[in-house]
Structure formats: structure tokens, C-alpha cells
Amino acid sequence: MKGIVFTEFLEMVEAKFGYEMVDKIISSSELSNDGAYTATGTYPHHELLQLLNELSNASDTEKSVLLHSFGTYMFVTFKNGYPGFFEGFEHGFEFLKSVDAHIHKEVLKLYPDAKLPSFETRGDGNEMRMTYRSYRKMADFAHGLIEASMSHFGHEHQVSKKVLVQDGSEVEFHIVIEV
Ligand code: HEM
């Protein structure tokens, strides 16, 4: 998993819970590099899961809630870091369709070792279904990113989630714009 995911995760933990919490979850996890991540490096995905577990225990917050918040937080990072990917869209659904069709493909050119989820979208008008597939099972992170995207494009929205494969590797989001 790319280092930017780790550096942003720890930054979010610091912003929401304070530096002591960052210190606490790093020292209670078994990390290969003592939590010294760089944005362009690549690190084992299980280290993120460990940090998430430790944060969930220490803050008494469900992992799904933390991952969703992390998605919302990461949206701002992407928006500031890659403004070009957000330009030229009138509608949030067009942007969401471009994640699989364009954005993540460009990400792969920049970072050939990135492991990205796949998204399948259908429907238009005021409703869209977006199916997430990834062995990393980070659908709640996607959920936060989807909601932040809809807000960014000015849509009042409801997003519901249906688990298609029990282990969380396949999840369908139903996004409805309230008019
Ligand atoms: C400019 C916008 C975006 C950029 C630059 C971007 C880039 C990235 C990068 C670098 C990763 C890490 C890959 C790795 O660690 O190997 C990632 C992962 C991910 N991205 Fe995006 N992304 C963007 C927008 C989105 C949006 C809007 C969504 C949701 C609809 C999304 C869903 C995900 C998910 C769920 C993952 C976690 C990996 C997984 O579940 O397999 N991304 N993205």
C-alpha cells in the first residue's frame, strides 16, 4: 500500500485525537519501520490494518466509522494534491465514474506498484449504483470518499451500502441525489 495512505492516516489521527494517540498506536503495533512512512514508499497493507485496529481499541470507535472518516479526510488530500482530476465535471456522478475509468489508471502510471480497487457504475439521473471490488476490503473508506465527492459537487445525497460478498471484498453503494 502506498505510503501516502499511511502518512495521511497518521495525520488524520493526530488532527482528530492528538499526537499521543499517534504515538500510542504506533508503539502498540508491530511495524517494520517503527511508523516512519514516506508518501512515495510502499508498505505492507496489514500494517494499516494493525494501526486501524489499535486506533479502534484505544478510541473505542468502530473500524468502519474510522475508515469512513479517513475516506472523507483523504478526499481533501486528493483534491489539493491532484486538482486536475476534479476539473471539467458538471455532476458528481461523472466524477465518480471517472475514478475507475481514468483517475486510478493515471495513478497506476505514476505508481506502478499501487493496488487499486475496481468500481462498476450503473444508472444515472438522480440515482447511481457503484460496486466496489477489492481484496483489501476498504469499502468504508470508499464510502467516505463517495460522500465527500457528492458534497464537493454540491449534491444533497443519501448513500446506502449493501455487502455483496460477506468478507467485504464486494460491496454495492446506492447513491441517491435528493432534489
Ligand atoms: C484524485 C482522486 C484520487 C486519487 C489521486 C486516488 C489515488 C489513490 C491511491 C494513490 C491509492 C492507494 C493505492 C495503494 O496504496 O496501492 C488509492 C486507493 C483507493 N482509492 Fe483512490 N484516488 C482518488 C479518488 C478516489 C475516489 C473518489 C474513490 C471512491 C469512489 C477512491 C477509492 C479508493 C479506495 C477504496 C482505495 C483503497 C484501496 C482498495 O480498496 O483496494 N479513490 N487511491
Side-chain angles (χ1 to χ4, degrees), residues 131-144:
T131 304
Y132 163 91
R133 291 191 183 88
S134 169
Y135 73 97
R136 292 181 186 232
K137 305 168 190 119
M138 288 179 65
D140 293 309
F141 177 65
H143 195 166

Side-chain angles (χ1 to χ4, degrees), residues 1-2 4-5 75 78-79 82 85-86 95-96 99 103-104 107 111 113-117 119 130 132-139 141-142 145-146 149:
M1 175 146 262
K2 295 310 296 173
I4 189 170
V5 181
F75 181 83
F78 288 150
K79 201 171 69 180
Y82 305 87
F85 287 139
F86 297 83
F95 170 74
L96 287 177
V99 174
I103 298 175
H104 279 172
V107 168
Y111 309 113
D113 59 348
K115 299 280 186 305
L116 295 152
F119 286 103
M130 190 168 187
Y132 163 91
R133 291 191 183 88
S134 169
Y135 73 97
R136 292 181 186 232
K137 305 168 190 119
M138 288 179 65
F141 177 65
L145 278 160
I146 290 169
S149 304

Side-chain angles (χ1 to χ4, degrees), residues 9-179:
F9 180 76
L10 293 174
E11 218 176 82
M12 177 195 76
V13 175
E14 183 170 357
K16 286 194 197 294
F17 300 97
Y19 187 73
E20 288 87 81
M21 183 63 99
V22 176
D23 208 34
K24 184 177 176 146
I25 64 171
I26 287 179
S27 42
S28 50
S29 301
E30 276 171 38
L31 309 173
S32 47
N33 51 352
D34 293 328
Y37 299 107
T38 63
T40 50
T42 301
Y43 306 94
H45 177 56
H46 66 80
E47 293 197 1
L48 185 72
L49 299 183
Q50 256 196 81
L51 290 165
L52 181 67
N53 250 325
E54 295 300 331
L55 180 64
S56 169
N57 292 336
S59 65
D60 202 18
T61 313
E62 294 279 337
K63 281 189 275 186
S64 59
V65 172
L66 294 167
L67 265 182
H68 185 285
S69 305
F70 182 37
T72 313
Y73 187 90
M74 199 68 169
F75 181 83
V76 180
T77 307
F78 288 150
K79 201 171 69 180
N80 295 335
Y82 305 87
F85 287 139
F86 297 83
E87 282 161 15
F89 298 106
E90 302 264 311
H91 197 284
F93 287 171
E94 295 307 315
F95 170 74
L96 287 177
K97 286 179 193 164
S98 80
V99 174
D100 195 78
H102 178 64
I103 298 175
H104 279 172
K105 290 194 168 62
E106 292 300 314
V107 168
L108 261 187
K109 288 185 200 162
L110 289 171
Y111 309 113
D113 59 348
K115 299 280 186 305
L116 295 152
S118 78
F119 286 103
E120 204 179 299
T121 47
R122 31 185 225 293
D124 42 34
N126 290 320
E127 273 187 54
M128 189 170 90
R129 287 178 200 272
M130 190 168 187
T131 304
Y132 163 91
R133 291 191 183 88
S134 169
Y135 73 97
R136 292 181 186 232
K137 305 168 190 119
M138 288 179 65
D140 293 309
F141 177 65
H143 195 166
L145 278 160
I146 290 169
E147 298 225 54
S149 304
M150 296 308 284
S151 299
H152 171 78
F153 285 94
H155 305 302
E156 291 279 340
H157 61 272
Q158 288 288 342
V159 179
S160 54
K161 169 182 149 186
K162 185 164 122 197
V163 175
L164 300 181
V165 173
Q166 211 46 49
D167 67 2
S169 59
E170 210 173 307
V171 173
E172 184 187 85
F173 294 100
H174 183 203
I175 311 162
V176 179
I177 293 179
E178 293 169 340
V179 282

